[in-house]
Amino acid sequence: MSLIVQKYGGTSVGDPERIRNVARRILETHAAGNQVVAVVSAMAGETNRLIQIAAKVTGEGKEPTEREMDVLLATGEQTTIALTAMAINAMGGTAVSLTGAQAGIETDGVHTKARISNITPSEVHRLLDEGNIVILAGFQGRTAEGRITTLGRGGSDLTAIAMAAAVDADLCQIFTDVDGVYTCDPRVVPDARKLDEIAYDELLEMASSGSKVMQSRSVEFAKKFGVRFEVRSSLNTNPGTLVREETMSMESVVIRGVSLERDQAKVTITGVGDLPGTASRIFGPVAEANVIIDMIVQNVSKTGITDISFTVNKADLARAEAALKPVLAELGEGVALEAEDGIAKLSVVGIGMRSHAGVAAQMFETLAKAGVNIQMISTSEIKIAVTVAESEIETAAKAVHEAFGLAGG
Ligand code: ADP
Ligand code: ASP
Ligand code: MG
């Protein structure tokens, strides 16, 4: 008998008929002689709806208390586990729902983006051994003191991967509303192709540069603990994408995929001295304000005066500006801050890049031909990322996807 962990995302459980579809699929897997733990997300749109209500009751300019935010958000998944278990039971199966806390998922106390510190799956095993199907709430856990926590947006992916590791599952399947991981978001590039396989590092780079098909922390976790998993559709039986450690043959593909991330903003501090300590005086306060910085570019100075630019999420721009205002005067006379939003990031990712020259040149040439201006550039061993005007991101993504020969046949 195999132990299978499945995860069904928000769209897959988005309405009663979809929940019944998921219930049927779980029952089929169980009837084939497997033990099943099925992780479910909140119904599509529910988490956003809860966030909006919280904002309304809290009032403009105020942040909801994070402890209560987690109590609220966890209800989205709690609703779905009950409904999915009910649907299975009504179809003649035996399913039991568990919240993250009941399933032994322990986290640190960082509300709304908690990290899993430990999983004690004894209750999950007990229920499985009694012949039950276990329906587990994604995206949530509890602290050692018993406070409810959530694992960051998209966190049901992490629940599934972490539980698969904890129970040493034979198979981990992430069911979603597309057939697998594509060469680019198929909603943006319609001729994107489904990948048969992808290395952890590639999916990690794609996920953290905007491909929201998997939560990046869940891929990080899978890589760390060697959890192979497949991403596939909950709406058909097409084979999906296998996510795994890299193999020699994967190196022959130079670019695996293209990612895009909208809603970025750029901050430029002009006229700063090219002196030791300048960067730390700028980025220290930004970090203290809990703003995550993505790309950083500092120009080479000829005159001892330089500009430093960096990008942040648009939602964090006001906080970054507020944190920097007091620092500007300290940085010297003539130092100014310029901020602009309406920026997006385009990345090409592939482990084959390590052994191939000319990828950056090809990307830049393609963007030039498409008339897209590159604002900033950053690279890693397996990724080249540029920022462009958000209004041009789709044109840019399509052109680069085409130029690297990624389109489906
Ligand atoms: P779920 O609710 O199942 O967790 P998500 O909405 O989080 O699903 O993720 C699936 C969506 O991710 C797809 O509908 C697709 O638009 C988007 N997506 C972005 N990049 C990619 C990609 N490279 N491959 C597949 N889907 C992608
Ligand atoms: N419901 C949560 C979210 O919308 C978690 C998830 O769906 O994975 O982010
Ligand atoms: Mg998701």
Side-chain angles (χ1 to χ4, degrees):
M1 190 188 292
S2 296
L3 200 174
I4 301 183
V5 173
Q6 301 187 328
K7 179 253 169 177
Y8 293 93
T11 316
S12 305
V13 292
D15 62 39
E17 204 31 64
R18 290 263 169 97
I19 292 179
R20 286 172 63 79
N21 168 56
V22 163
R24 273 190 290 272
R25 294 181 72 115
I26 295 170
L27 272 170
E28 277 166 23
T29 312
H30 190 252
N34 303 298
Q35 291 189 318
V36 186
V37 177
V39 175
V40 289
S41 290
M43 294 165 80
E46 179 62 8
T47 308
N48 287 340
R49 190 183 72 87
L50 293 169
I51 291 171
Q52 279 162 15
I53 305 179
K56 281 195 184 133
V57 297
T58 308
E60 214 168 295
K62 291 195 184 133
E63 296 286 329
T65 351
E66 290 190 326
R67 180 191 185 282
E68 305 315 325
M69 199 62 188
D70 276 351
V71 175
L72 177 72
L73 295 187
T75 64
E77 272 68 14
Q78 192 166 334
T79 304
T80 326
I81 52 172
L83 294 172
T84 308
M86 276 176 202
I88 292 174
N89 294 337
M91 288 172 188
T94 325
V96 177
S97 65
L98 291 180
T99 63
Q102 289 172 324
I105 299 179
E106 201 174 297
T107 72
D108 63 17
V110 185
H111 284 293
T112 74
K113 37 186 172 303
R115 285 187 171 267
I116 295 178
S117 46
N118 190 27
I119 298 185
T120 314
S122 45
E123 183 63 2
V124 172
H125 280 303
R126 191 186 67 74
L127 290 166
L128 290 173
D129 291 344
E130 279 180 1
N132 298 289
I133 292 168
V134 173
I135 309 297
L136 171 60
F139 176 57
Q140 54 174 265
R142 49 158 279 181
T143 63
E145 302 78 39
R147 294 199 312 269
I148 294 174
T149 49
T150 62
L151 310 177
R153 296 307 303 269
S156 299
D157 295 331
L158 179 59
T159 304
I161 302 275
M163 189 49 83
V167 299
D168 196 19
D170 299 290
L171 183 60
C172 179
Q173 301 176 303
I174 307 291
F175 288 100
T176 183
D177 57 4
V178 279
D179 280 5
V181 179
Y182 281 68
T183 48
C184 190
D185 187 342
R187 288 187 209 184
V188 177
V189 177
D191 62 359
R193 189 169 42 83
K194 190 200 74 194
L195 297 163
D196 294 331
E197 60 174 6
I198 185 167
Y200 293 127
D201 280 335
E202 291 172 325
L203 185 55
L204 187 53
E205 286 278 19
M206 283 178 72
S208 48
S209 58
S211 297
K212 296 270 152 58
V213 61
M214 286 294 293
Q215 187 209 33
S216 60
R217 273 167 62 180
S218 71
V219 185
E220 206 180 325
F221 193 104
K223 181 186 173 195
K224 193 163 163 194
F225 294 97
V227 181
R228 279 191 194 185
F229 62 97
E230 53 180 29
V231 181
R232 54 192 298 177
S233 172
S234 67
L235 304 167
N236 60 45
T237 55
N238 298 342
T241 304
L242 180 64
V243 186
R244 55 176 302 185
E245 61 289 346
E246 72 182 73
T247 59
M248 294 259 275
S249 66
M250 285 181 180
E251 285 263 357
S252 61
V253 176
V254 182
I255 301 299
R256 185 81 52 194
V258 175
S259 289
L260 51 138
E261 191 158 29
R262 299 171 204 263
D263 296 327
Q264 302 297 295
K266 182 169 74 174
V267 176
T268 303
I269 317 273
T270 56
V272 290
D274 192 4
L275 304 162
T278 301
S280 111
R281 270 151 81 193
I282 292 174
F283 293 109
V286 181
E288 265 165 47
N290 256 326
V291 172
I292 295 175
I293 287 174
D294 188 9
M295 289 190 193
I296 301 176
V297 172
Q298 176 176 342
N299 291 336
V300 177
S301 76
K302 282 201 176 140
T303 54
I305 298 288
T306 187
D307 300 342
I308 297 183
S309 297
F310 59 90
T311 62
V312 295
N313 266 323
K314 191 166 110 187
D316 290 339
L317 180 58
R319 244 178 328 133
E321 282 186 87
L324 282 169
K325 274 219 173 101
V327 184
L328 293 181
E330 283 172 32
L331 286 169
E333 245 175 72
V335 174
L337 182 152
E338 289 166 18
E340 75 176 285
D341 57 14
I343 287 170
K345 186 171 73 168
L346 180 74
S347 312
V348 295
V349 173
I351 52 177
M353 223 184 266
R354 289 184 200 132
S355 47
H356 285 81
V359 179
Q362 192 180 348
M363 180 176 185
F364 302 157
E365 192 190 328
T366 305
L367 291 171
K369 274 194 195 141
V372 174
N373 185 40
I374 299 170
Q375 300 180 355
M376 293 164 91
I377 301 169
S378 84
T379 59
S380 80
E381 207 189 10
I382 64 164
K383 180 175 82 175
I384 299 163
V386 299
T387 57
V388 302
E390 193 161 4
S391 56
E392 294 180 333
I393 188 68
E394 294 207 5
T395 310
K398 284 178 184 144
V400 167
H401 188 266
E402 174 83 40
F404 284 105
L406 296 175

